[in-house]
Amino acid sequence: MSDINITIIDREGEAHRVTAPTDMNMNLMEVIRSFELAPEGTIGICGGMAMCASCQCYMLNFEHLLPQKSYEEEDMLDQAFFLQDNSRLSCQIPITEELEGLEVKIAPVAP
């Protein structure tokens, strides 16, 4: 397996091109946290269990390559602020080779 390139737009609108490993069983939320692209304590509050919506992101491409939303993810997104049609919980997006070139935007923090 190899690393992939992902573009993550932070909450201030700055784009960051990062390299993410596909062989470490990581998800997108963990990549965002490892590159410190959101202030500590504002993303992945539940630890990636799909029990909060703090890791909500907007998928700007490749939505058709993502796993189908689980019931738990749908339930959390239904309760999320700033919901859009392309919203996903980044903790539910595994990093795979097929996502080379993925572009996402981190959703704003809930009030």
Side-chain angles (χ1 to χ4, degrees):
M1 299 226 174
S2 62
D3 294 346
I4 61 169
N5 296 297
I6 301 173
T7 300
I8 301 169
I9 301 170
D10 64 26
R11 291 182 174 128
E12 285 75 44
E14 185 177 344
H16 304 268
R17 187 174 170 120
V18 301
T19 302
T22 60
D23 61 350
M24 293 181 64
N25 200 28
M26 292 180 79
N27 61 47
L28 182 57
M29 179 206 70
E30 293 168 325
V31 172
I32 292 168
R33 289 174 75 173
S34 68
F35 283 95
E36 299 178 350
L37 299 179
E40 189 173 335
T42 66
I43 193 162
I45 295 169
C46 72
M49 302 299 294
M51 296 176 71
C52 73
S54 66
C55 69
Q56 179 188 185
C57 287
Y58 307 125
M59 300 297 127
L60 304 180
N61 63 357
F62 296 158
E63 280 188 90
H64 65 285
L65 296 176
L66 301 178
Q68 193 169 13
K69 293 177 191 171
S70 67
Y71 171 79
E72 292 80 11
E73 181 177 7
E74 288 276 7
D75 190 44
M76 282 292 93
L77 287 171
D78 283 345
Q79 300 175 45
F81 291 94
F82 311 111
L83 187 65
Q84 296 183 6
D85 289 341
N86 60 344
S87 290
R88 292 295 302 264
L89 298 182
S90 61
C91 68
Q92 299 301 298
I93 308 299
I95 300 300
T96 63
E97 289 180 343
E98 293 78 26
L99 296 181
E100 169 66 37
L102 178 69
E103 297 178 2
V104 302
K105 183 176 185 347
I106 304 171
V109 175

